[in-house]
Amino acid sequence: MQVYKVGGAVRDRLLGLPVTDVDRVVVGASTEEMLAKGFRPVGADFPVFLDPKTGEEYALARTERKSGRGYGGFTFYASPEVTLEEDLIRRDLTINAMAEDDQLNLTDPYHGQRDLEARILRHVSPAFAEDPLRVLRVARFAARYAGLGFTVADETMDLMRQLSESGELQALTAERSWKEISRALMEDRPQVFIQVLRDCGALKELMPEVDALFGVPQPETHHPEIDTGLHTLSVLEQSSLHKQPLTVRWACLLHDLGKGLTPEEEWPRHIAHEHTGLKLIKAVNERFKAPKDCQELALLVGQYHTHGHRALELKASTLLELLQSFDVYRRPQRFEEFIAACEMDARGRKGLEQRSYPQADYLRGAAKAAREVAVQPLLEQGLKGPELGEALKRERLKALKAYKEAATA
């Protein structure tokens, strides 16, 4: 019985990066032996055990065979006869198919260290094409390591294209897809994830609404980059540079979907794209079963981001409606995330990445003015129910008018 660290722990140590997750493979052991040593079994698909003292995971070396469609369409075989090399060959990329023992002796049958040094993401074997989830995983690794100069090998891209064209991506569950998408959006260069998916044809299969934005022009006055797809990538890039949370990054990705529906004869203008895009944002949200906070913010940003840009021009009554839509009195954080998404949108334009965004502080000030309207005096007047609501609305409108007048004087 031999134990090896495998996958990301080995890869990141060799890259000189912090090692967070450690996967271990046990060679030469059976389920019965692991149980006899006190290990606790977990996982229904293949034999994984928890160390009774440390809680760390140990997986028996195994092979796999394609038996159906999608990520779950595999039959696994684990036994003491399965070698380390047989276990490693079923992995996705060569840089993830290395192992080391406790003395840091490296086992690298598929030249992962060579590809690490060459900064190449390359598949281990043709079996790569049996698992559609690997398209998303490779794009995610490309986003994570783009800053180190990593690119996807041409032959791996070819296999990713084959998978994208095969219809296998449609067999992925919403949960598995969202797990990869959400992790990729939180990488250092999330825009690379979207670009790689587009390059291999996966984006039009998974998010045709986003793919449709590429090649759609916008007015050069506001968008020097012109192309809506490129603008979306830039907004996503800004969201990462400014360390935005997942909710904001998801909203940044989907905020302009309505522009993909504009008839060509109306280009480069996109009248009412904020409203036409809502059904598309809703469809993408539901397709991947995005968390509720991500869904809500994406829809609100899609509908109101141009309000954010025109904040200083808005009438007090429109400003009040905007604040009411976000329920800023009970959910101030959501409005703060909306402001962040608007700022990323403004900065995600060629040559305008460093420009100031005074709308942000103006909107924060407006929210503060509305929130500071006291309810107690109205209650003391005996108001309640709808009457109280209307009176509160009038007082908030009065406060916003005063705020606007002072702020724009």
Side-chain angles (χ1 to χ4, degrees), residues 106-306:
L106 190 68
T107 300
D108 182 17
Y110 309 109
H111 311 296
Q113 191 170 21
R114 183 181 68 191
D115 283 343
L116 271 187
E117 292 167 357
R119 300 299 196 245
I120 289 176
L121 302 173
R122 191 193 314 276
H123 64 283
V124 178
S125 77
F128 174 94
E130 294 176 352
D131 184 356
L133 190 68
R134 288 178 168 175
V135 172
L136 288 165
R137 277 177 57 82
V138 172
R140 174 166 65 83
F141 281 120
R144 178 182 297 179
Y145 296 120
L148 296 177
F150 276 82
T151 56
V152 181
D154 291 342
E155 59 270 31
T156 303
M157 266 298 214
D158 288 341
L159 287 181
M160 291 165 69
R161 285 191 192 94
Q162 289 175 31
L163 267 170
S164 300
E165 293 167 3
S166 71
E168 279 268 323
L169 292 174
Q170 305 305 322
L172 291 173
T173 64
E175 291 76 13
R176 290 300 308 179
S177 296
W178 176 254
K179 185 176 180 181
E180 290 297 326
I181 291 167
S182 58
R183 289 178 72 185
L185 290 179
M186 293 308 294
E187 298 289 2
D188 284 344
R189 302 205 180 177
Q191 72 278 12
V192 173
F193 172 72
I194 299 299
Q195 186 64 62
V196 170
L197 290 183
R198 184 163 188 268
D199 290 344
C200 72
L203 190 61
K204 68 182 177 186
E205 296 296 319
L206 296 167
M207 299 185 205
E209 301 88 348
V210 176
D211 190 69
L213 299 178
F214 289 88
V216 174
Q218 305 167 101
E220 190 174 358
T221 312
H222 304 295
H223 289 276
E225 73 286 347
I226 300 176
D227 188 286
T228 308
L230 295 182
H231 166 63
T232 299
L233 295 183
S234 295
V235 176
L236 205 48
E237 179 182 17
Q238 290 298 316
S239 74
S240 173
L241 292 173
H242 291 268
K243 309 297 182 190
Q244 298 296 347
L246 177 61
T247 46
V248 173
R249 298 187 192 205
W250 182 241
C252 285
L253 177 62
L254 305 185
H255 78 284
D256 263 349
L257 292 189
K259 291 180 178 178
L261 295 176
T262 305
E264 284 189 33
E265 59 270 19
E266 294 180 17
W267 288 354
R269 299 180 70 202
H270 298 278
I271 298 169
H273 74 276
E274 307 91 342
H275 299 286
T276 56
L278 292 180
K279 61 183 178 183
L280 300 184
I281 295 172
K282 188 175 180 182
V284 178
N285 275 336
E286 291 176 352
R287 184 178 313 135
F288 298 110
K289 295 183 178 170
K292 188 178 179 183
D293 56 348
C294 288
Q295 294 202 28
E296 289 178 351
L297 188 67
L299 286 164
L300 287 166
V301 171
Q303 184 171 359
Y304 293 113
H305 63 278
T306 51

Side-chain angles (χ1 to χ4, degrees), residues 25-34 45-49 58-65 75-83 86-87 90:
V25 161
V26 182
V27 178
S30 65
T31 297
E32 292 72 26
E33 286 176 86
M34 297 295 284
D45 295 331
F46 41 81
V48 177
F49 302 86
Y58 291 75
L60 293 186
R62 63 189 187 271
T63 60
E64 64 185 26
R65 183 173 56 83
T75 302
F76 296 95
Y77 172 71
S79 88
E81 287 75 44
V82 176
T83 66
E86 287 173 325
D87 180 274
R90 65 178 179 77

